[in-house]
Amino acid sequence: MSPRDRGTRWAFVAAGVLVAAAALGPWLAPYAPDAIDLAARRAAPSPGHLFGTDDLGRDLFTRVLHGARVSLAIGILAAALSVALGAGVGAVAAWTGRWADAVLMRLADAILAVPRLPLLMIASVILRPGVGTLVLLVAAVSWMETARVVRAEVRSLVRQGFVEAARAVGAGPVRSMIRHVLPGIVPTLAVAITLAVGRSILLESALSFFGVGVQPPAASWGNMLYQAQSTMATEPWLALFPGLSILLTVLIVNALGERLARDDASPGSRHVA
Amino acid sequence: MLTTVLRRVGQGVPVMLLVSVLVFALLHAAPGGPLAVYLENPGVRPEDIERLRRALGLDQSLPTQYARWLAAFVQGDWGFSLSDGRPVATRMLERLPATLELAGASLVVALLAAVPAGIAAAVRRGRWFDRAAGVLALAGVSLPVFWFGLVLQLTIAIGLGWLPSSGRSAAFGGGLADRVSHLVLPAIVLAAVHAAAWSRYLRASMIGVLSRRFITAAAARGIPRGRILLRHALRNAAGPLLAVVILDAALVVSGAVVTESVFAWPGLGALFTEALSRRDYPVLMAFLMVTSVAVITLNLAADLAHRALDPRLRG
């Protein structure tokens, strides 16, 4: 999966900058995230406060940088977990076939049929999740697409001779799966994780926007928008910048996912990974 | 054909049952169960809660409760709303027209944007229009819907004053023009994500169809290009697109919850967020059940319609 064209390289660079900005946020930020400056309340964007300030005079640029850590961490963790879960379910379904396959796939159908956001909103209201539980919840409703794709790929791989050969010389199911099937589905998993990051960030931000996701004083982009709603007409920058951050982040991640998917489809790339 | 129909329906029923178990389990996972609202209210006496518990059958075993709830649900008895005591089914029915109006309008908007864009991008594959449409589509699927709604409200409704910022009509009735002007912004917001995804999907399937030999043959017979595109290529690419449109039904429900809440559109989505803030569990349960069953039914219908229309899938 070497970056083979300019577009892919740019997508990787952009994603790198994003992760670096989130990781180095506290050192890059010009202020402390909860530093109250009553003299500069509700200030419009200016050289001193790039993104303006909120009703307590807190610097919005600083808070957006800190929010990036929460939003990205939830997005990446939930994506990794959902893809791991999906790959596990898909592999088990494909390998065992018959009953377990039917039950697992009908379960996937069932969760796919329930509208995701309302389901998560109810679960959040009931469980009042912290950040860790939020990651679990998002992953719990996001593994099904990966499970379907992985199931299909594993079935077609298992039918090819090399897996059968491995089994014939005495490799157990777990070993055959890890040594012989897993390398074949790595490109698929890479694409799935990348796209899942974008989707998870959107889900978390929507939950937080409704006030049932990340709770203040922790700042995620979604709950900054939740707070900005009431003063949107007079201080539009409070709504503008957190939303732009979500859009830009998800855009970069999706662009990367699209590139990876396209590169994967090109001939000769499959065995490189 | 009949066996196919029966087999697909046979697959749909267990999925619906699984959904009902999930929904039931979720709502009973709440601390205090469906009576949580009353437990938190100091004005409600413990003996009243006990009486309610018995009246609602909550003192029985979970399987019994589930069986009773499911039997009642199937018969259209969805219980009573905790916030105003009216039947849940009545409350949902009165909100349905507004949601159907919004969803219908956004379907029209999404297709009006996606179909021409998808065809043009396929015809000019790799050229500037295709690339621009690709970037725009990527932005579209990356949009946080609620934020897009806020931005349109800020700029077009509040800033420019061209359209109303919320609601379904002016306070005192209003004519057709008034209704349409209220509908425009929410319909665009709900349509954006789908227009983006569908245009790319149609582009891909048009490119596939346009490379087939019957298209070359049609061109060789001297059939005009526009006619080939619309009558020959689009007809073949439209089937798969229709399937994708229907498969996105679950996404539309999530989108409607967000859009209706941002624009104060008095539909089912807004009813859901109201019920959520009041912990109105009967309404929440019915909402999840009804929308999921609708999604499963639509998927089933799309699958069967696809089979009926495409001779290659028969047999």
Side-chain angles (χ1 to χ4, degrees):
Chain A
M1 253 178 298
S2 61
R4 68 194 66 225
D5 66 275
R6 250 182 343 162
T8 312
R9 207 172 308 153
W10 276 114
F12 268 112
V13 168
V17 169
L18 204 64
V19 171
L24 302 176
W27 292 277
L28 292 175
Y31 302 88
D34 46 5
I36 293 170
D37 180 2
L38 294 177
R41 291 162 58 196
R42 303 169 204 273
S46 66
H49 295 284
L50 278 180
F51 290 178
T53 65
D54 67 6
D55 53 346
L56 295 172
R58 297 178 297 191
D59 181 55
L60 189 63
F61 179 64
T62 304
R63 292 181 66 75
V64 166
L65 269 178
H66 277 262
R69 297 164 72 84
V70 178
S71 297
L72 269 181
I74 293 178
I76 292 171
L77 289 176
L81 192 60
S82 79
V83 169
L85 203 61
V89 170
V92 168
W95 194 269
T96 55
R98 298 194 166 269
W99 266 103
D101 183 26
V103 169
L104 288 173
M105 287 301 111
R106 289 299 86 73
L107 185 66
D109 289 348
I111 303 180
L112 270 176
V114 185
R116 218 180 305 233
L117 185 63
L119 177 64
L120 272 181
M121 286 166 75
I122 295 182
S124 302
V125 158
I126 291 176
L127 301 172
R128 299 186 187 164
V131 169
T133 319
L134 205 57
V135 167
L136 290 180
L137 283 179
V138 172
V141 297
S142 310
W143 54 270
M144 297 83 67
E145 289 94 341
T146 313
R148 281 184 174 178
V149 178
V150 166
R151 172 176 173 272
E153 292 221 348
V154 171
R155 277 163 73 110
S156 82
L157 282 175
V158 165
R159 271 196 222 109
Q160 290 171 26
F162 65 92
V163 178
E164 211 176 331
R167 303 227 49 189
V169 296
V174 174
R175 185 180 158 80
S176 340
M177 204 54 110
I178 290 173
R179 283 284 296 150
H180 302 281
V181 175
L182 187 62
I185 59 171
V186 162
T188 307
L189 294 184
V191 173
I193 287 199
T194 317
L195 294 178
V197 170
R199 210 172 40 210
S200 306
I201 290 176
L202 284 179
L203 272 177
E204 176 275 318
S205 67
L207 284 178
S208 301
F209 173 72
F210 279 103
V212 296
V214 175
Q215 298 301 321
S220 86
W221 293 330
N223 78 21
M224 295 169 78
L225 283 169
Y226 171 62
Q227 290 163 349
Q229 247 182 124
S230 49
T231 56
M232 203 175 65
T234 48
E235 289 115 45
W237 56 90
L238 291 178
L240 185 66
F241 292 108
L244 268 183
S245 311
I246 301 172
L247 173 59
L248 202 63
T249 306
V250 178
L251 187 65
I252 289 170
V253 171
N254 281 346
L256 188 60
E258 204 175 70
R259 297 275 168 183
L260 290 179
R262 197 185 307 163
D263 291 355
D264 178 32
S266 65
S269 72
R270 305 230 34 151
H271 53 265
V272 177
Chain B
M1 188 68 200
L2 185 66
T3 50
T4 319
V5 173
L6 288 178
R7 203 165 46 85
R8 290 294 289 123
V9 173
Q11 281 178 349
V13 171
V15 173
M16 286 188 197
L17 283 176
L18 261 176
V19 167
S20 72
V21 173
L22 288 176
V23 170
F24 183 83
L26 177 67
L27 272 295
H28 281 76
L35 293 180
V37 238
Y38 297 121
L39 294 178
E40 285 167 11
N41 184 346
V44 180
R45 291 172 305 175
E47 53 264 39
D48 289 334
I49 290 178
E50 199 44 49
R51 195 169 45 76
L52 262 175
R53 193 182 298 280
R54 224 166 300 137
L56 293 172
L58 292 173
D59 51 345
Q60 280 155 351
S61 72
L62 278 181
T64 318
Q65 285 187 49
Y66 168 74
R68 281 190 171 188
W69 168 72
L70 189 64
F73 190 89
V74 171
Q75 291 164 28
D77 174 9
W78 302 347
F80 296 88
S81 165
L82 297 181
S83 48
D84 64 0
R86 290 160 63 223
V88 172
T90 314
R91 292 202 70 187
M92 291 188 67
L93 264 181
E94 65 191 21
R95 296 297 191 101
L96 186 63
T99 292
L100 289 180
E101 183 181 310
L102 176 60
S106 86
L107 180 69
V108 171
V109 170
L111 286 177
L112 280 180
V115 171
I119 295 174
V123 172
R124 304 200 176 88
R125 184 183 176 185
R127 310 257 284 278
W128 75 265
F129 178 84
D130 183 27
R131 290 188 188 188
V135 171
L136 210 60
L138 198 60
V141 297
S142 309
L143 259 185
V145 176
F146 51 94
W147 179 74
F148 185 47
L150 294 181
V151 168
L152 287 190
Q153 272 182 333
L154 259 182
T155 51
I156 295 180
I158 299 172
L160 297 168
W162 287 352
L163 291 164
S165 66
S166 65
R168 193 182 175 198
S169 64
F172 302 102
L176 182 67
D178 174 60
R179 296 282 294 271
V180 172
S181 72
H182 278 85
L183 186 54
V184 174
L185 289 185
I188 290 176
V189 168
L190 186 52
V193 176
H194 302 291
W198 297 345
S199 74
R200 290 282 103 180
Y201 188 82
L202 181 62
R203 170 189 177 270
S205 63
M206 279 293 279
I207 287 175
V209 173
L210 285 174
S211 68
R212 303 262 297 277
R213 276 194 222 150
F214 74 90
I215 298 291
T216 319
R221 287 205 304 278
I223 298 173
R225 199 167 159 71
R227 198 179 152 87
I228 292 181
L229 278 179
L230 296 181
R231 289 290 297 275
H232 298 255
L234 184 59
R235 272 181 83 167
N236 277 279
L241 178 67
L242 182 70
V244 168
V245 167
I246 296 179
L247 283 175
D248 274 352
L251 260 181
V252 173
V253 177
S254 292
V257 167
V258 174
T259 311
E260 291 186 3
S261 136
V262 169
F263 287 95
W265 185 264
L268 283 172
L271 176 66
F272 173 82
T273 41
E274 286 162 38
L276 192 76
S277 64
R278 293 183 180 167
R279 310 285 189 274
D280 193 342
Y281 290 118
V283 172
L284 297 178
M285 252 169 132
F287 180 89
L288 275 194
M289 280 297 289
V290 169
T291 51
S292 311
V293 168
V295 167
I296 295 169
T297 314
L298 276 174
N299 286 352
L300 197 64
D303 189 39
L304 295 177
H306 199 181
R307 277 166 203 276
L309 293 176
D310 192 336
R312 285 165 300 185
L313 293 174
R314 271 180 217 150

